[in-house]
Amino acid sequence: CRAQHIPVSEVLACDTTKTLIDRDYMIVRYIPSRPMVEVALSSEDRAGICRSVGEATAAMHRITQKRFGRIADVAENKGFLRWSAFLCDELEQWETVAVPAGIFTAEEHRCLRKILENHTSLLDEIRTPCLVHTDLWEGNVLVGTAAGKPVFSAIIDADRALWGDPDFEFLYQWMHSDDFLEGYGRPISQDAACITRRKIYRL
């Protein structure tokens, strides 16, 4: 992201040995700022920040890979050649947690699996795995101050990021604003196939 001039967190240290504490941990450099959701913004300031975030998001989506999947998995050559295969694998992993915990029933998961199975060819129209944040809401956009005015400082918390369909990003309504899309450089597609895929992503 930094190579593409996208403002993000700078990792100072990362330890996965579990020798100091019994879990992985990461330390990032402090960014003087506050989450956008906590900042009172004028309509003009909000518009400017949304345009900047749109530009950064477009730059993120231009970063591509050869396989679909979670960042860590693809880095270890465990990704998927088809977008539908990744989504089915995600659902299977989620089911192992959600059904025993009572979050969803086995029947609800059967319905979800059927939807994916029935739309495999539609999902596999997505051929290029793009970098997608997947949790890009106002709480993960940092706003700082420059010359006394609020400015876009960084996108943070990309722990759920994946290589996939950029349309997977547009599940938060604030990203549908004219200002965000002006920065992004194109409107959200209203093509029937794109609309159907976004409905599946919401599920």
Side-chain angles (χ1 to χ4, degrees):
C1 284
R2 283 187 172 276
Q4 300 302 319
H5 309 292
I6 303 166
V8 290
S9 297
E10 179 185 353
V11 178
L12 300 178
C14 182
D15 183 79
T16 58
T17 64
K18 299 180 177 63
T19 55
L20 297 176
I21 57 176
D22 63 352
R23 60 171 295 170
D24 300 341
Y25 70 89
M26 181 170 66
I27 298 173
V28 298
R29 187 179 300 281
Y30 174 68
I31 302 171
S33 57
R34 291 168 60 198
M36 185 176 174
V37 72
E38 297 177 4
V39 181
L41 297 168
S42 68
S43 57
E44 181 183 354
D45 289 336
R46 171 175 286 275
I49 289 169
C50 285
R51 281 193 293 272
S52 295
V53 179
E55 291 171 6
T57 304
M60 189 178 292
H61 291 170
R62 287 194 291 269
I63 302 171
T64 60
Q65 251 288 357
K66 294 180 180 179
R67 288 176 177 265
F68 295 100
R70 295 289 170 186
I71 302 297
D73 291 337
V74 173
E76 296 177 359
N77 206 31
K78 297 178 184 175
F80 298 84
L81 294 175
R82 294 182 299 113
W83 178 227
S84 66
F86 164 69
L87 292 175
C88 287
D89 183 73
E90 280 284 292
L91 184 59
E92 286 175 13
Q93 291 187 49
W94 174 245
E95 186 171 1
T96 64
V97 176
V99 173
I103 299 171
F104 291 111
T105 66
E107 178 58 31
E108 286 169 328
H109 269 277
R110 278 193 288 274
C111 289
L112 289 171
R113 279 201 306 275
K114 194 68 176 174
I115 289 169
L116 287 182
E117 290 167 4
N118 290 344
H119 293 87
T120 297
S121 58
L122 184 72
L123 293 167
D124 288 337
E125 289 177 5
I126 305 303
R127 302 294 175 87
T128 303
C130 300
L131 181 58
V132 184
H133 187 285
T134 80
D135 194 23
L136 190 53
W137 67 293
E138 294 185 11
N140 286 336
V141 172
L142 296 186
V143 175
T145 305
K149 287 184 63 67
V151 293
F152 166 53
S153 293
I155 291 172
I156 60 168
D157 285 0
D159 54 293
R160 302 180 193 179
L162 55 80
W163 300 106
D165 178 6
D167 255 16
F168 201 96
E169 201 85 87
F170 295 107
L171 304 186
Y172 290 104
Q173 196 58 41
W174 75 280
M175 299 171 69
H176 292 236
S177 74
D178 291 341
D179 298 308
F180 181 95
L181 294 173
E182 181 183 336
Y184 190 73
R186 68 170 176 83
I188 297 172
S189 176
Q190 298 306 311
D191 175 81
C194 292
I195 291 172
T196 300
R197 281 192 291 265
R198 287 198 297 272
K199 287 180 179 179
I200 294 172
Y201 303 155
R202 286 190 184 95
L203 288 175

